[in-house]
Amino acid sequence: MSCELLVIAGSRSHGSIETRRAALMHATEAVPGFVGSSVKESESACAALVATAPDAGTLSRCEQSPAGERLTIATNRRGLAAAGTTRVVGAEGGHVSILLAPDGRVELSTDGVGFIPCYWGPLAGGIAISTHLASLVSLGVAADVDERGVIEYLAMHHPLGTRTLLRDARMLAAGGRLRWEPGSQPFIDVRPIFVPSDEALDDDEAVAAFRTRWPQVVVDALEGPGTVALGLSGGLDSRAIAEAAVQSGIRPLTYTYGTPPTHEPVVAARVADALHLQHVRIPVTSDDMLAGGLSAVDRLDGAHSPSEMYELWFQDALRAMTGTVINGLAGGPLWGDDKAVGLTDPAAVLERQWRRYAADARTVSRFLGSGLGEDVDRVLRDSLRESLFEWDLEGRDDTVLYWKVANRQFRWGNMLTNALRRSGLRTEAPFLDSRSLELTARLTPAQRRNGGLYLRIHREMFPVTAAIPRSDDGNPPRALNHVYWSGETSYLQQLTGLARRHPIAAMRRGTRLGSHMVREALRDRTGIAGPADRSDRRRSVFPADVWLRTSKAYADRLCSLLELGDHPLFSESAVAAELAAVRAGRPTVPALALGRVAAARAWLSDYERRAAARGAAG
């Protein structure tokens, strides 16, 4: 079965025990896809392993020992084995574990990357814990909204740090340990895996270490039960998994979404063909667009969006061909993919990140009521400043990558793991394996700059796929010394530097980008959309803004999501006006921003319904 963990803890008195048990049973039955539950109790806590449909996405275990009753959910057997030990694991052993001790203590622990997110919130004299965020409200946590968390989500796809959309609920950070005992406040200790290391490697040492570790990481990830399917894209990360697997004698099934002439499925098919791997192209039809969007709302915990959780659009197709999905999550950021790399001035790093999210922040501000929309710029800037400045940005010019992994990857990225396991699929992410993270934490800023060392690894270790152009710019890794943009010089200077070493690659990259910008300008200034739309369809498997204007099926489903919920935080008149504009074929807001507005409204409405249902249940 797929499973969730729910815990409620408090006073030892008999009346409290009965009340706690009743609250837990009410909350378990409100978990989406509820099938049944197994309940364990101590004098001060009541916990449930909740089985949900569809099954097969999560492993679970209850075990009794002198230390107490331990309940664990995990993405694989390595996660079950690591629960309750001092062994530090990453995605190779993703898990959340709860210990109910005989003395009344409750101890919560997760793996070093928070691969299965877990949330907690205070109760009167106690605490509620759940792997399903909304269930905290059913357990008794207040449904009060964290307005800053909502703004962060609408602009960035996720709240920052451990903040959630609920004012009194927090996510346990990656590598977190929470300890609660009667009469005390929770004590939290956080020991994430991916933090800057002083044990630097030179280039040759780093390549040698990767050559030793990576094959075993990939082999372990491919050991899942039944057929394991590798999602191939047109970039570097998935091909690093694919070629390492073949070199180790393993030939996984591969798949990609979309069909030619879109660049990504064309390149993915070339990679699979060069490695002699079976490859499945999953076409994107009008029937698939936003399919499963309503159920996706229940499978996401206040981060990511049904309009971008593409795997859930194809969950039936994925379940038909595999039980375990393997992908290249987080590869880019670990090896240098952020435009603020190269900057050490905190103000410059902040400005770079702000520029990334400012447009979306201003777009969604129109949908926020009660004057909150007028404050979006200030709130988001303050949030970014507080979050970024917790890191020593002046100490090294790639520190922003550690911030990015700790925030975006562990908030936005791990929602993919959660959504897939709730859909009956397991996930493996080799780049988030503890062995991979320990190695990449030892890279120097110079090694990460523009992805230079990563390109060397591809040229030397993956020669077959290094000859195949990337979908982004049409250049193969063997003809590049530059794959990621950085912030210490202008893009033009970086393109000029690439031209000195690889003039054809620079010309190809510049021409592809320039021609697309010309087509976009033509569409924006004259309304002639055909050339830019065709370019968007080649560049992206999921051209959401094109679909919003040209596909009735996509527009209707997005409207259905927008109508799914309502909440006083949002302006109903602004939502109604955009619904009318979309139905008239003249949307004024980007499709993905509308998807986040829809999801946030649905989540906040769900919290209110849960609070009301809890009150009615007594």
Side-chain angles (χ1 to χ4, degrees):
M1 287 288 184
S2 293
C3 293
E4 305 294 340
L5 261 176
L6 275 65
V7 182
I8 183 169
S11 167
R12 290 188 174 96
S13 69
H14 179 71
S16 296
I17 292 173
E18 295 297 326
T19 301
R20 185 162 55 242
R21 184 181 302 133
L24 181 73
M25 297 313 298
H26 164 76
T28 61
E29 293 172 4
V31 172
F34 170 78
V35 173
S37 62
S38 174
V39 177
K40 304 295 180 182
E41 291 183 282
S42 69
E43 290 185 358
S44 61
C46 195
L49 273 174
V50 183
T52 62
D55 63 6
T58 319
L59 300 180
S60 65
R61 184 169 66 192
C62 294
E63 54 185 344
Q64 179 70 46
S65 73
E69 191 85 44
R70 180 172 295 280
L71 297 80
T72 302
I73 64 173
T75 55
N76 53 41
R77 297 193 180 281
R78 292 185 296 274
L80 291 180
T85 70
T86 57
R87 184 156 52 94
V88 179
V89 296
E92 78 276 14
H95 69 275
V96 171
S97 188
I98 295 283
L99 175 69
L100 307 182
D103 62 4
R105 283 178 296 114
V106 175
E107 295 185 358
L108 165 67
S109 59
T110 186
D111 60 80
V113 299
F115 206 46
I116 299 180
C118 193
Y119 309 88
W120 67 278
L123 302 175
I127 189 172
I129 298 169
S130 177
T131 53
H132 178 238
L133 177 61
S135 289
L136 288 182
V137 179
S138 297
L139 289 168
V141 173
D144 298 340
V145 176
D146 188 323
E147 294 178 350
R148 175 173 285 195
V150 172
I151 289 173
E152 291 170 358
Y153 167 72
L154 291 173
M156 304 176 65
H157 299 80
H158 55 88
L160 287 166
T162 61
R163 184 179 288 115
T164 72
L165 304 187
L166 289 164
R167 183 167 298 161
D168 293 332
R170 287 290 180 267
M171 186 183 81
L172 186 64
R177 302 288 186 271
L178 182 152
R179 175 186 172 125
W180 175 90
E181 52 189 290
S184 300
Q185 294 298 311
F187 172 77
I188 296 176
D189 180 37
V190 178
R191 299 179 184 179
I193 295 177
F194 189 63
V195 292
S197 172
D198 294 328
E199 300 177 1
L201 301 169
D202 65 31
D203 289 4
D204 291 341
E205 290 171 335
V207 172
F210 188 85
R211 191 186 302 275
T212 299
R213 296 186 189 192
W214 186 246
Q216 190 57 56
V217 168
V218 170
V219 168
D220 289 348
L222 288 164
E223 285 182 341
T227 301
V228 177
L230 167 62
L232 271 184
S233 70
L236 300 182
D237 304 331
S238 60
R239 64 176 73 181
I241 300 170
E243 191 159 348
V246 170
Q247 291 170 354
S248 300
I250 303 173
R251 298 192 174 277
L253 171 68
T254 65
Y255 71 93
T256 192
Y257 304 116
T259 53
T262 305
H263 297 318
E264 185 168 307
V266 170
V267 173
R270 286 190 62 182
V271 169
D273 184 63
L275 295 172
H276 307 291
L277 295 174
Q278 181 183 354
H279 186 66
V280 177
R281 278 180 178 157
I282 303 176
V284 183
T285 68
S286 59
D287 290 338
D288 302 310
M289 296 174 184
L290 268 177
L294 299 181
S295 64
V297 171
D298 288 333
R299 292 175 182 168
L300 296 171
D301 293 325
H304 218 307
S305 163
S307 57
E308 293 179 79
M309 185 57 76
Y310 307 120
E311 284 76 4
L312 295 192
W313 301 8
F314 304 96
Q315 57 185 299
D316 292 339
L318 290 175
R319 282 199 302 262
M321 70 180 184
T322 185
T324 301
V325 169
I326 181 171
N327 56 49
L329 274 175
L334 298 178
W335 289 93
D337 185 12
D338 191 279
K339 294 181 177 65
V341 169
L343 300 174
T344 55
D345 177 7
V349 176
L350 172 62
E351 187 62 27
R352 180 72 65 173
Q353 297 304 321
W354 165 247
R355 278 158 46 188
R356 176 177 181 178
Y357 300 113
D360 277 350
R362 289 162 181 162
T363 295
V364 300
S365 65
R366 74 172 75 173
F367 295 103
L368 294 170
S370 306
L372 186 60
E374 300 170 5
D375 222 16
V376 164
D377 275 19
R378 180 193 62 78
V379 171
L380 188 59
R381 273 190 177 274
D382 287 348
S383 289
L384 284 167
R385 180 181 296 106
E386 290 175 12
S387 177
L388 284 163
F389 290 8
E390 290 177 0
W391 297 81
D392 181 15
L393 299 173
E394 296 176 297
R396 48 187 293 166
D397 66 25
D398 63 347
T399 302
V400 68
L401 295 171
Y402 294 90
W403 170 85
K404 186 173 184 176
V405 170
N407 285 275
R408 184 166 176 80
Q409 184 55 54
F410 295 158
R411 297 306 308 269
W412 179 89
N414 288 357
M415 281 299 112
L416 174 60
T417 306
N418 241 11
L420 284 177
R421 74 177 184 83
R422 289 170 174 164
S423 303
L425 291 160
R426 296 177 188 157
T427 307
E428 295 284 352
F431 286 98
L432 292 175
D433 184 290
S434 59
R435 292 162 290 186
S436 172
L437 291 170
E438 190 277 334
L439 170 59
T440 50
R442 299 175 68 185
L443 298 179
T444 66
Q447 289 166 342
R448 286 198 170 97
R449 190 77 49 80
N450 304 126
L453 187 63
Y454 197 28
L455 283 168
R456 175 182 164 182
I457 283 173
H458 275 267
R459 290 192 298 267
E460 295 182 10
M461 286 188 59
F462 311 125
V464 175
T465 56
I468 299 173
R470 299 167 60 243
S471 60
D472 284 354
D473 63 3
N475 291 310
R478 73 178 183 186
L480 286 171
N481 66 338
H482 177 294
V483 65
Y484 306 130
W485 299 107
S486 56
E488 80 287 356
T489 60
S490 70
Y491 294 169
L492 181 58
Q493 287 175 301
Q494 292 176 62
L495 188 62
T496 301
L498 174 62
R500 294 192 189 101
R501 291 281 302 275
H502 302 287
I504 295 176
M507 182 179 67
R508 187 180 290 119
R509 179 179 290 185
T511 300
R512 182 176 285 194
L513 178 60
S515 62
H516 179 70
M517 292 174 66
V518 168
R519 296 184 183 105
E520 281 189 323
L522 182 66
R523 180 173 58 195
D524 295 342
R525 295 175 185 175
T526 70
I528 300 174
D533 285 359
R534 287 191 293 273
S535 178
D536 283 339
R537 292 179 186 275
R538 286 193 298 271
R539 288 162 58 92
S540 174
V541 175
F542 304 103
D545 290 331
V546 176
W547 288 345
L548 190 58
R549 287 184 285 103
T550 63
S551 169
K552 186 176 184 302
Y554 184 85
D556 286 349
R557 288 176 189 143
L558 186 50
C559 286
S560 294
L561 283 175
L562 277 165
E563 293 171 326
L564 187 60
D566 58 66
H567 191 274
L569 196 68
F570 289 89
S571 166
E572 290 305 310
S573 61
V575 173
E578 191 59 29
L579 279 168
V582 171
R583 288 182 171 129
R586 295 186 296 274
T588 65
V589 174
L592 300 185
L594 280 180
R596 295 194 295 279
V597 170
R601 280 162 47 89
W603 287 324
L604 300 189
S605 298
D606 182 36
Y607 302 155
E608 290 198 328
R609 285 193 298 270
R610 286 172 177 271
R614 185 185 72 215

